[in-house]
Amino acid sequence: MATTNDLKNGIVLNLDGQLWTVTDFQHVKPGKGGAFVRTTLKNVLSGKVVDKTFNAGTKVETANVDKRSMTYLYKDGSDFVFMDGDTYDQIHVSGEVVGGGADYLLENTEVVVAVHDSVPLYVELPVTMELVVEHTDPGLQGDRSTGGTKPATLETGAQIQVPLFITTGEKLKVDTRDGRYLGRVN
């Protein structure tokens, strides 16, 4: 248990049985009435963002979320297997928890896995990944109807839009948050 005075960005609260991360907070002391804390909370599982106000000094229940650096090993059915580099423990994380990040996950990639009561909550991939283009059609000279981009399939199976000059076999830097092409890697 903590009070609203202990709140800071990144702390995880357990409100009504759901886990919420504090993304923003502000202590407010109006001229009239008691002080309060205005917070922006993000649901750890669903990603839903809400604003919530607490009276100053109110007790809030904090959740112990353990963020560990782990290495992605392999896919086992619909689960993904990660290994803790310190203890060599392996955990299975369901495809729903990994989410869209699975499109950019290569074996031996270092990720952060957040665990609460030995249940994996989410997986944080590196912001950028270097991936090889497995297939893309040749760009046609003078074709600007698509804004100068064409679809490309990466080695992980993900489909992204790339500039016309990209060819099959090139290594690209890709933003794992939204699948944007960021540039070529030499």
Side-chain angles (χ1 to χ4, degrees), residues 53-70:
T53 304
F54 298 97
N55 290 329
T58 304
K59 296 242 185 251
V60 289
E61 187 179 344
T62 58
N64 185 16
V65 174
D66 186 20
K67 290 184 177 181
R68 286 187 251 165
S69 179
M70 295 189 160

Side-chain angles (χ1 to χ4, degrees), residues 1-14:
M1 291 293 268
T3 66
T4 54
N5 299 330
D6 302 326
L7 291 182
K8 59 183 181 257
N9 289 348
I11 196 168
V12 179
L13 305 177
N14 186 352

Side-chain angles (χ1 to χ4, degrees), residues 15 17 45 65 77 79 86 92 98 126 128 133 139 143-144 148 155 168 174:
L15 302 174
L45 297 176
V65 174
D79 288 357
D86 299 332
H92 288 255
V98 176
T128 61
V133 176
D143 177 15
R144 296 292 177 265
E155 60 185 311
T168 300
V174 179

